[in-house]
PDB file of all heavy atoms in Angstrom:
ATOM      1  N   ARG J  20      -7.420   1.679   8.250  1.00 96.00           N
ATOM      2  CA  ARG J  20      -6.810   2.936   8.675  1.00 96.00           C
ATOM      3  C   ARG J  20      -5.832   2.776   9.829  1.00 96.00           C
ATOM      4  O   ARG J  20      -4.774   3.413   9.831  1.00 96.00           O
ATOM      5  CB  ARG J  20      -7.896   3.953   8.981  1.00 96.00           C
ATOM      6  CG  ARG J  20      -8.431   4.586   7.715  1.00 96.00           C
ATOM      7  CD  ARG J  20      -9.875   4.941   7.733  1.00 96.00           C
ATOM      8  NE  ARG J  20     -10.306   5.450   6.416  1.00 96.00           N
ATOM      9  CZ  ARG J  20     -10.641   4.702   5.377  1.00 96.00           C
ATOM     10  NH1 ARG J  20     -10.608   3.375   5.476  1.00 96.00           N
ATOM     11  NH2 ARG J  20     -10.997   5.245   4.239  1.00 96.00           N
ATOM     12  N   GLU J  42      26.719   5.703   5.990  1.00 92.00           N
ATOM     13  CA  GLU J  42      27.200   4.467   5.370  1.00 92.00           C
ATOM     14  C   GLU J  42      26.583   3.293   6.141  1.00 92.00           C
ATOM     15  O   GLU J  42      26.940   3.039   7.282  1.00 92.00           O
ATOM     16  CB  GLU J  42      28.734   4.435   5.418  1.00 92.00           C
ATOM     17  CG  GLU J  42      29.364   3.115   5.035  1.00 92.00           C
ATOM     18  CD  GLU J  42      29.579   2.961   3.534  1.00 92.00           C
ATOM     19  OE1 GLU J  42      29.690   4.004   2.859  1.00 92.00           O
ATOM     20  OE2 GLU J  42      29.634   1.821   3.042  1.00 92.00           O
ATOM     21  N   TRP J  48      23.509  -2.710  10.197  1.00 97.00           N
ATOM     22  CA  TRP J  48      22.235  -3.217   9.676  1.00 97.00           C
ATOM     23  C   TRP J  48      21.738  -4.391  10.513  1.00 97.00           C
ATOM     24  O   TRP J  48      20.576  -4.436  10.926  1.00 97.00           O
ATOM     25  CB  TRP J  48      22.447  -3.610   8.202  1.00 97.00           C
ATOM     26  CG  TRP J  48      21.241  -3.940   7.394  1.00 97.00           C
ATOM     27  CD1 TRP J  48      21.034  -5.105   6.713  1.00 97.00           C
ATOM     28  CD2 TRP J  48      20.084  -3.139   7.124  1.00 97.00           C
ATOM     29  NE1 TRP J  48      19.833  -5.069   6.042  1.00 97.00           N
ATOM     30  CE2 TRP J  48      19.226  -3.870   6.292  1.00 97.00           C
ATOM     31  CE3 TRP J  48      19.696  -1.849   7.533  1.00 97.00           C
ATOM     32  CZ2 TRP J  48      18.007  -3.367   5.845  1.00 97.00           C
ATOM     33  CZ3 TRP J  48      18.462  -1.360   7.090  1.00 97.00           C
ATOM     34  CH2 TRP J  48      17.650  -2.115   6.255  1.00 97.00           C
ATOM     35  N   ASP J  82     -14.255  -4.811  -7.299  1.00 92.00           N
ATOM     36  CA  ASP J  82     -14.643  -3.793  -8.288  1.00 92.00           C
ATOM     37  C   ASP J  82     -14.454  -4.281  -9.717  1.00 92.00           C
ATOM     38  O   ASP J  82     -15.227  -3.915 -10.604  1.00 92.00           O
ATOM     39  CB  ASP J  82     -13.816  -2.514  -8.093  1.00 92.00           C
ATOM     40  CG  ASP J  82     -14.368  -1.635  -6.981  1.00 92.00           C
ATOM     41  OD1 ASP J  82     -15.496  -1.925  -6.534  1.00 92.00           O
ATOM     42  OD2 ASP J  82     -13.712  -0.670  -6.591  1.00 92.00           O
ATOM     43  N   TYR J  83     -13.388  -5.036  -9.943  1.00 93.00           N
ATOM     44  CA  TYR J  83     -13.043  -5.321 -11.343  1.00 93.00           C
ATOM     45  C   TYR J  83     -13.275  -6.769 -11.776  1.00 93.00           C
ATOM     46  O   TYR J  83     -13.437  -7.030 -12.948  1.00 93.00           O
ATOM     47  CB  TYR J  83     -11.580  -4.964 -11.618  1.00 93.00           C
ATOM     48  CG  TYR J  83     -11.234  -3.535 -11.266  1.00 93.00           C
ATOM     49  CD1 TYR J  83     -10.168  -3.222 -10.439  1.00 93.00           C
ATOM     50  CD2 TYR J  83     -12.017  -2.481 -11.750  1.00 93.00           C
ATOM     51  CE1 TYR J  83      -9.873  -1.910 -10.108  1.00 93.00           C
ATOM     52  CE2 TYR J  83     -11.718  -1.163 -11.412  1.00 93.00           C
ATOM     53  CZ  TYR J  83     -10.651  -0.886 -10.589  1.00 93.00           C
ATOM     54  OH  TYR J  83     -10.361   0.402 -10.259  1.00 93.00           O
ATOM     55  N   TYR J 104       4.857 -13.200   3.084  1.00 98.00           N
ATOM     56  CA  TYR J 104       5.647 -12.037   3.533  1.00 98.00           C
ATOM     57  C   TYR J 104       5.853 -12.125   5.046  1.00 98.00           C
ATOM     58  O   TYR J 104       6.950 -11.889   5.554  1.00 98.00           O
ATOM     59  CB  TYR J 104       4.938 -10.734   3.198  1.00 98.00           C
ATOM     60  CG  TYR J 104       4.882 -10.364   1.713  1.00 98.00           C
ATOM     61  CD1 TYR J 104       3.996  -9.385   1.279  1.00 98.00           C
ATOM     62  CD2 TYR J 104       5.712 -10.955   0.783  1.00 98.00           C
ATOM     63  CE1 TYR J 104       3.924  -9.010  -0.069  1.00 98.00           C
ATOM     64  CE2 TYR J 104       5.649 -10.595  -0.563  1.00 98.00           C
ATOM     65  CZ  TYR J 104       4.765  -9.620  -0.981  1.00 98.00           C
ATOM     66  OH  TYR J 104       4.702  -9.249  -2.284  1.00 98.00           O
TER      67      TYR J 104
ATOM     68  N   ARG A  35      -5.167   3.956  -5.812  1.00 97.00           N
ATOM     69  CA  ARG A  35      -5.461   2.525  -5.987  1.00 97.00           C
ATOM     70  C   ARG A  35      -4.310   1.815  -6.701  1.00 97.00           C
ATOM     71  O   ARG A  35      -3.836   0.774  -6.245  1.00 97.00           O
ATOM     72  CB  ARG A  35      -6.779   2.388  -6.777  1.00 97.00           C
ATOM     73  CG  ARG A  35      -7.073   1.014  -7.218  1.00 97.00           C
ATOM     74  CD  ARG A  35      -8.546   0.837  -7.530  1.00 97.00           C
ATOM     75  NE  ARG A  35      -9.310   0.679  -6.303  1.00 97.00           N
ATOM     76  CZ  ARG A  35     -10.565   0.237  -6.292  1.00 97.00           C
ATOM     77  NH1 ARG A  35     -11.182  -0.065  -7.409  1.00 97.00           N
ATOM     78  NH2 ARG A  35     -11.198   0.088  -5.161  1.00 97.00           N
ATOM     79  N   PHE A  42       2.086  -3.611  -3.256  1.00 98.00           N
ATOM     80  CA  PHE A  42       1.963  -4.999  -2.785  1.00 98.00           C
ATOM     81  C   PHE A  42       2.959  -5.894  -3.524  1.00 98.00           C
ATOM     82  O   PHE A  42       3.613  -6.731  -2.908  1.00 98.00           O
ATOM     83  CB  PHE A  42       0.533  -5.510  -2.999  1.00 98.00           C
ATOM     84  CG  PHE A  42       0.331  -6.927  -2.536  1.00 98.00           C
ATOM     85  CD1 PHE A  42       0.270  -7.224  -1.186  1.00 98.00           C
ATOM     86  CD2 PHE A  42       0.239  -7.949  -3.461  1.00 98.00           C
ATOM     87  CE1 PHE A  42       0.101  -8.529  -0.772  1.00 98.00           C
ATOM     88  CE2 PHE A  42       0.051  -9.264  -3.045  1.00 98.00           C
ATOM     89  CZ  PHE A  42      -0.007  -9.546  -1.696  1.00 98.00           C
ATOM     90  N   SER A  55      20.027  -9.349   2.623  1.00 97.00           N
ATOM     91  CA  SER A  55      21.004  -8.447   3.240  1.00 97.00           C
ATOM     92  C   SER A  55      21.290  -8.807   4.693  1.00 97.00           C
ATOM     93  O   SER A  55      22.338  -8.449   5.217  1.00 97.00           O
ATOM     94  CB  SER A  55      20.497  -7.009   3.167  1.00 97.00           C
ATOM     95  OG  SER A  55      19.405  -6.831   4.047  1.00 97.00           O
ATOM     96  N   LYS A  66      24.153  -4.820  -1.657  1.00 94.00           N
ATOM     97  CA  LYS A  66      24.652  -3.448  -1.718  1.00 94.00           C
ATOM     98  C   LYS A  66      25.216  -3.155  -3.118  1.00 94.00           C
ATOM     99  O   LYS A  66      25.006  -2.083  -3.675  1.00 94.00           O
ATOM    100  CB  LYS A  66      25.738  -3.266  -0.657  1.00 94.00           C
ATOM    101  CG  LYS A  66      25.741  -1.886  -0.055  1.00 94.00           C
ATOM    102  CD  LYS A  66      26.736  -1.778   1.077  1.00 94.00           C
ATOM    103  CE  LYS A  66      26.966  -0.322   1.432  1.00 94.00           C
ATOM    104  NZ  LYS A  66      28.001  -0.167   2.447  1.00 94.00           N
ATOM    105  N   ASP A  99     -12.064  11.624   5.829  1.00 96.00           N
ATOM    106  CA  ASP A  99     -12.940  10.827   6.704  1.00 96.00           C
ATOM    107  C   ASP A  99     -13.415  11.681   7.876  1.00 96.00           C
ATOM    108  O   ASP A  99     -14.485  11.459   8.431  1.00 96.00           O
ATOM    109  CB  ASP A  99     -12.198   9.620   7.273  1.00 96.00           C
ATOM    110  CG  ASP A  99     -11.856   8.605   6.194  1.00 96.00           C
ATOM    111  OD1 ASP A  99     -12.498   8.641   5.131  1.00 96.00           O
ATOM    112  OD2 ASP A  99     -10.955   7.784   6.410  1.00 96.00           O
TER     113      ASP A  99
END
Side-chain angles (χ1 to χ4, degrees):
Chain J
R20 280 146 184 83
E42 170 86 25
W48 190 236
D82 278 350
Y83 305 128
Y104 290 164
Chain A
R35 170 160 282 194
F42 180 74
S55 70
K66 215 174 166 185
D99 292 340

